[in-house]
Amino acid sequence: MQNKGVIKLFAIVFGLVCIYQLSFSFIASNIESDAETFAEQRISQSEENYAKKREVLEDHYLDSIGEEKGFLGITYNSAKEKELNKGLDLKGGINVTLQVSVEDILRSLSNDSKDPAFNQALSTANEQQKNSQKDYVDSFFDAFEEIPDAKLASPDIFANKSLSDVVNFDMTNDEVKPVIRKKIDDAVLSAFEILRQRIDKFGVTQPNIQRLGSSGRIMVELPGAKDIERIKNLLQSTAQLEFWHVYKAGELQQFMAQANNTLKEMVETKEKSETKKDTTAAEGNDLEELLTEVDDTLEVAKNPLFDLVVRPGSQTGPVIATFNIEDTAKVNSYLSNPKVISLLPAKMKYLHFAWGKTPDKSPTIDLYAIKGNRENEPPLSGNVIVDATQTYDQVGRVAVSMQMNGKGARIWEEMTRVAFEEASQIAIVLDNVVYSAPGVSTGAISGGRSEITGDFNIEEGQDLANVLNAGRLPASADIIQSAIVGPSLGQAAIKSGTISFMLALVLIFIFMYFYYGKAGLFADIALIVNILFIFGILAGLGAVLTLPGIAGIVLTMGMAVDANVIIFERIREELRKGKSQVESMKEGFQGALPSIIDANITTGLAGIILLVFGTGPIKGFATTLLIGLATSVFTSIFVTQILTDSYLINGKRLSYATTFTKNWFKNVHVDFMGMRKYFYWGSGIFLFIGTISVFTQGLDFGVDFLGGRTYVVRFDHDVNATKVEDHLMADFGSVEAKTYGQDNQLKIVTKYRIDDTGEGVDGEIQHKLFGSLKEYLPANMTFDEFGISGNSSDKNIGLLQTTKVGPTIADDIKQASIWAVLGAMVMIFLYILLRFKKWQYSLGGVIALFHDAWFVIVCFSLFYRFMPFSLEIDQAFIAAILTIIGYSINDTVIIYDRVREYLNEGHTTWTMKRTINDALSSTLSRSINTTATVLLVLLAIFIFGGESIRGFMFALLIGVMTGVYSTLFIASGITYDTMKGSEKEDKKELEG
């Protein structure tokens, strides 16, 4: 090996750099452990809410010593910034994909146009988006073009005052489209920056926020975040701040009485109509017309509206009445009934109702009446706010103080003057919620200073100030995909991941020493260096380590050993030829290099596809896989060679086998090509049966491909999944419950209200889930304790994880997965064609890959109803298929390299059949040893790696075994059968 000194120096320096990068993680972990001990000593488990109290104390401890210098002068804060990032599945937290509403942006750009063509195109685009991969704006433009004579540059659409500088009446649709696209892109970029500012001020360490293409989607990942509802509100709040005059309760007293009486009459009419319908069926047609005029939401009640009132409002106050939160939908339906609306006096025709902010832990909510106008525009909006700060009001309540610009100050002065003269109030409304409605007691307020008070805590006040400072989102942002992991599940994942990692490492060490003796120990040392490099690079790049990422590292360990196995087997071949040890070692390393490079490149191609098309944890798997492949090549070739050279420098001999294994696979000759057709038939029959299963029994598609919500719930006792499912069915209609790991843990999947994207929908459904499961939970458990925020690392009952995938993004994931698999196969086909110059090699390799991928799919179809663990088809399964493709082609390329080597050596008397058979036989020890080490690794992860990746590991286990089988009998057989002249050469061989 040339430049051995330079390579040795590089390895040492790089190793020290990796140790330095990882030192931050050790320092941060030690300090956090001290903080945990500190909190445990001061807060006993007997105290109420001890877990949250400990968290607060830990945070206070870490804040107090954050800038204190410790080991090597490194502070905790600096160590925390540079530590190895852990993903949600290891740390807990939230990952969401937000869809910025392009429809809202288009409406805003058109000044909320009422043009029929414009609104028809929007409606069509909304419908198409459910089953389309197009961006929303493309669907809108396509729908608009189908409307005859529709023109985007109409004064009622985009040729308005707001866009007069870029759109004029003479422009064609094609000229307007790029302008609108640019405006939409600017709006999404603005939303991205606003969200980033909000998150930066939120205080979560190592946040990750990024735009996803040009679709208007933004991904936000906050590892370690605990207050999930607070974060979701922060992300989805548009920060649409408005100031409105409001009516006093006394002004609406007569209307409310009339509304109640009208609703009462409607109820009585409905009752009489239904009675008459039952007794005189012949008059049914007339009655049906009458019944359509009656609101179906009305219930039999003495006073439909007044019976719902918990507390009437003060005559001179802004609260019209107070209701129970659970009755808000019913009250909305009553007050929006056309007959009720018609009762409003002419001067109140623009009135609209709004609800107040929900008080903390209160079951009631206040109703307000806003003084609207023809344009439905507030007299003053939040765009005049130049600064907002969390403060306290005169009586010590949490408040948010705001400063307006000059224009806002003038309007605010006029609004407060009117409110003072009329002894009325001004409602401060944020995202259609009335936060407060203060009166004005001292006359007009000049200077533009105002204050929001309400029933909120310090954190809510800080969040409100932050969103106001960051600015208003240009459009609503709905959560279309989310994954929320509780800290207790993260702790369990770390434990299972560590166990599987250490066990896999030990198994590899033992196997390599058992089979290759002292040379195996050198391979083990190189493997340790490889692991150090992988973790060091991850830390240095700021990459995120996930549970699939750990699986990627462990799998890389098996493939790193593969490179050493290839080298050692080549050295053993050279030694059997009678060459010296030094010469054999040199030939072995040089001869193995092309095979190692080819094998890792083909696996790397699959990893690149995963990185490009994957999301979340799959990217973590792909990142560690690609890094591991690069470091494996370096350590296997250079580090192992440096170690063996150092050992041989004093004339010592190095054995590449033990006494027990030295004659294994010696002089093995198997007629693989003679048996190939039997295996064609065997594979064909199994895949035929499996294909029938796929099209009849189907596959267990997860929410990634169908859309829906998934909840992982842990109980304090074992539960029967079937009974729980039957119980939930009454409330959710469509639901599936499965045992998830232990018998006291369930995975619950439902598509209930999956199309609803409102801000409070997720919370409502979790409340519904809690109510349905209450009889299986501890009697004294509250909803707050059931939720993820109520589960600390030592409190393991309740909701541990939630996942939501909207139908639109599920369709996108499905399409991306198909393209990922097809793309990987095409790239591998082209690489093999380029590398081996013959299409027969590419064809054999790709057919074998398709065989392996389909083999795993049919196994999942045949067995998913019987296995005690989940065999869902989700993104992790696609990652498994791509990994299998990479591993299988790795194995095949090793064989092809040996076939090419034999052909290049000029064995002119050999037939193609003999050439392939000898290539397969000579590499049989490598195939079996590599497969054995990888299977040992996968079994360790499968058994100890945690429930969340068990299906993923099962796919890999099947794929690895199928991969070596398909290499020996399918890929090589197809190549042999398609090689020109193979049959003719066989006849010559038989005649000879």
Side-chain angles (χ1 to χ4, degrees), residues 237-256:
S237 170
T238 57
Q240 182 174 331
L241 182 66
E242 298 172 342
F243 300 83
W244 294 89
H245 291 289
V246 294
Y247 290 102
K248 289 176 281 191
E251 297 177 89
L252 270 294
Q253 187 174 15
Q254 183 178 356
F255 164 76
M256 294 293 283

Side-chain angles (χ1 to χ4, degrees), residues 42 48 56 69-70 90 95 103 228 298 304 323 381 416 437 451 461 623 638 655 715 838 849 876 900 902-903 927 971:
R42 284 157 177 77
E48 186 180 357
V56 171
K69 293 183 178 179
L90 298 179
N95 175 296
E103 179 187 0
I228 303 303
L298 292 174
F323 297 86
S381 62
T416 54
E451 188 176 69
T623 301
F638 297 113
S655 172
F715 303 86
K838 291 186 177 181
L849 294 185
R900 181 177 57 184
Y902 283 170
L903 291 174
S927 297

Side-chain angles (χ1 to χ4, degrees), residues 559 599 602-603 606 828 881-891:
M559 300 182 78
T602 50
T603 305
I828 288 171
I881 291 295
L882 289 171
T883 306
I884 290 164
I885 288 172
Y887 179 84
S888 179
I889 201 64
N890 179 318
D891 208 30

Side-chain angles (χ1 to χ4, degrees), residues 669-921:
H669 296 286
V670 180
D671 185 11
F672 290 98
M673 294 302 95
M675 296 184 288
R676 72 190 187 283
K677 292 184 179 179
Y678 298 109
F679 291 98
Y680 288 172
W681 276 104
S683 287
I685 292 170
F686 179 80
L687 293 179
F688 178 74
I689 294 171
T691 302
I692 292 175
S693 175
V694 170
F695 287 102
T696 56
Q697 181 167 277
L699 294 159
D700 185 18
F701 286 104
V703 296
D704 284 356
F705 294 108
L706 297 177
R709 290 179 174 86
T710 300
Y711 304 94
V712 176
V713 183
R714 186 179 294 159
F715 303 86
D716 60 350
H717 59 279
D718 293 349
V719 292
N720 184 299
T722 304
K723 287 184 178 180
V724 174
E725 181 179 303
D726 291 341
H727 189 80
L728 291 170
M729 196 70 73
D731 288 330
F732 289 90
S734 171
V735 70
E736 184 179 34
K738 303 176 185 175
T739 299
Y740 191 68
Q742 304 167 354
D743 289 336
N744 69 330
Q745 196 163 277
L746 294 182
K747 185 175 187 179
I748 298 168
V749 182
T750 179
K751 296 188 75 173
Y752 177 73
R753 295 183 66 184
I754 190 57
D755 288 321
D756 293 350
T757 56
E759 184 177 333
V761 173
D762 291 339
E764 290 176 22
I765 295 175
Q766 284 190 27
H767 271 90
K768 195 178 188 72
L769 180 68
F770 172 66
S772 297
L773 295 175
K774 204 159 188 178
E775 68 178 79
Y776 300 98
L777 298 166
N780 60 346
M781 175 172 272
T782 65
F783 175 75
D784 288 340
E785 292 171 333
F786 171 76
I788 287 180
S789 297
N791 286 276
S792 65
S793 59
D794 55 354
K795 187 177 181 181
N796 299 321
I797 308 301
L799 193 59
L800 304 181
Q801 178 179 346
T802 75
T803 305
K804 170 189 171 184
V805 181
T808 301
I809 201 166
D811 194 50
D812 293 350
I813 291 170
K814 190 187 302 179
Q815 293 293 327
S817 300
I818 294 171
W819 284 113
V821 174
L822 293 177
M825 288 191 174
V826 169
M827 288 177 68
I828 288 171
F829 179 92
L830 294 175
Y831 178 79
I832 295 176
L833 182 63
L834 180 68
R835 192 75 178 85
F836 294 95
K837 312 298 184 190
K838 291 186 177 181
W839 63 267
Q840 291 92 338
Y841 289 111
S842 294
L843 182 64
V846 170
I847 289 177
L849 294 185
F850 180 81
H851 167 277
D852 298 342
W854 193 244
F855 197 99
V856 175
I857 290 171
V858 301
C859 282
F860 268 55
S861 176
L862 289 168
F863 304 137
Y864 80 86
R865 295 180 185 271
F866 312 108
M867 288 295 178
F869 50 87
S870 174
L871 291 182
E872 280 188 355
I873 306 298
D874 52 15
Q875 291 189 81
F877 176 80
I878 300 302
I881 291 295
L882 289 171
T883 306
I884 290 164
I885 288 172
Y887 179 84
S888 179
I889 201 64
N890 179 318
D891 208 30
T892 302
V893 164
I894 301 298
I895 308 300
Y896 285 170
D897 267 317
R898 186 57 64 94
V899 171
R900 181 177 57 184
E901 183 181 326
Y902 283 170
L903 291 174
N904 290 340
E905 287 177 358
H907 295 290
T908 55
T909 60
W910 288 15
T911 63
M912 181 57 67
K913 182 176 182 179
R914 179 181 176 183
T915 302
I916 294 178
N917 275 335
D918 278 21
L920 290 168
S921 297

Side-chain angles (χ1 to χ4, degrees), residues 254-317:
Q254 183 178 356
F255 164 76
M256 294 293 283
Q258 290 176 341
N260 182 73
N261 290 333
T262 299
L263 292 166
K264 184 178 178 180
E265 291 173 3
M266 293 172 69
V267 170
E268 292 171 352
T269 302
K270 183 177 181 181
E271 289 175 339
K272 290 177 182 178
S273 300
E274 288 176 344
T275 303
K276 190 173 182 181
K277 181 180 179 183
D278 292 337
T279 56
T280 57
E283 300 176 16
N285 292 337
D286 294 333
L287 290 173
E288 284 299 322
E289 184 178 350
L290 177 62
L291 286 171
T292 56
E293 299 177 5
V294 181
D295 191 339
D296 289 335
T297 64
L298 292 174
E299 295 181 355
V300 177
K302 190 172 182 181
N303 292 292
L305 183 59
F306 286 169
D307 283 351
L308 299 179
V309 174
V310 175
R311 186 172 54 254
S314 168
Q315 289 287 310
T316 58

Side-chain angles (χ1 to χ4, degrees), residues 351-636:
L351 172 153
H352 61 270
F353 292 99
W355 294 102
K357 184 182 179 298
T358 307
D360 188 29
K361 297 182 179 180
S362 172
T364 62
I365 189 170
D366 295 331
L367 179 69
Y368 295 83
I370 305 295
K371 290 185 178 180
N373 51 52
R374 183 190 299 274
E375 297 79 20
N376 197 29
E377 291 288 333
L380 185 62
S381 62
N383 56 13
V384 301
I385 303 299
V386 293
D387 184 49
T389 309
Q390 185 267 308
T391 56
Y392 298 91
D393 66 9
Q394 295 177 348
V395 294
R397 293 180 302 175
V398 175
V400 174
S401 179
M402 300 175 294
Q403 178 62 53
M404 303 177 186
N405 60 22
K407 177 182 177 182
R410 289 191 296 273
I411 298 174
W412 181 241
E413 184 173 0
E414 175 60 20
M415 287 187 72
T416 54
R417 182 190 64 78
V418 172
F420 174 73
E421 292 176 353
E422 296 180 355
S424 62
Q425 293 81 19
I426 298 174
I428 301 176
V429 184
L430 181 69
D431 294 338
N432 299 318
V433 174
V434 179
Y435 269 65
S436 60
V440 180
S441 59
T442 58
I445 301 174
S446 60
R449 200 81 188 165
S450 63
E451 188 176 69
I452 304 176
T453 58
D455 187 10
F456 43 80
N457 57 36
I458 293 176
E459 289 179 341
E460 290 174 326
Q462 291 171 342
D463 290 345
L464 179 54
N466 287 340
V467 297
L468 292 176
N469 282 323
R472 172 186 171 183
L473 286 178
S476 62
D478 295 321
I479 294 177
I480 57 172
Q481 182 181 21
S482 65
I484 303 168
V485 182
S488 59
L489 205 60
Q491 291 293 326
I494 291 175
K495 183 178 179 181
S496 61
T498 303
I499 291 173
S500 64
F501 181 82
M502 297 307 297
L503 182 60
L505 197 62
V506 170
L507 290 173
I508 290 175
F509 283 177
I510 293 173
F511 180 83
M512 291 301 289
Y513 182 71
F514 163 76
Y515 198 91
Y516 294 106
K518 195 168 288 185
L521 286 179
F522 292 142
D524 291 340
I525 295 172
L527 184 59
I528 293 173
V529 175
N530 182 41
I531 294 168
L532 173 65
F533 285 178
I534 292 173
F535 280 103
I537 292 172
L538 286 172
L541 292 176
V544 178
L545 182 65
T546 62
L547 193 57
I550 292 177
I553 293 173
V554 178
L555 182 61
T556 300
M557 289 161 51
M559 300 182 78
V561 170
D562 175 45
N564 283 126
V565 169
I566 295 171
I567 293 168
F568 291 167
E569 290 298 325
R570 293 300 295 253
I571 293 173
R572 289 174 67 169
E573 288 179 27
E574 300 302 324
L575 288 170
R576 291 190 191 113
K577 293 176 183 179
K579 295 181 181 179
S580 68
Q581 183 147 47
V582 173
E583 190 177 4
S584 296
M585 196 177 78
K586 181 180 178 182
E587 293 289 337
F589 275 96
Q590 289 180 348
L593 184 60
S595 298
I596 293 171
I597 297 296
D598 284 335
N600 280 277
I601 286 177
T602 50
T603 305
L605 291 174
I608 291 170
I609 293 291
L610 276 175
L611 193 65
V612 172
F613 288 95
T615 58
I618 292 180
K619 282 187 179 291
F621 175 80
T623 301
T624 55
L625 181 66
L626 291 170
I627 292 172
L629 288 174
T631 58
S632 295
V633 171
F634 177 82
T635 55
S636 300

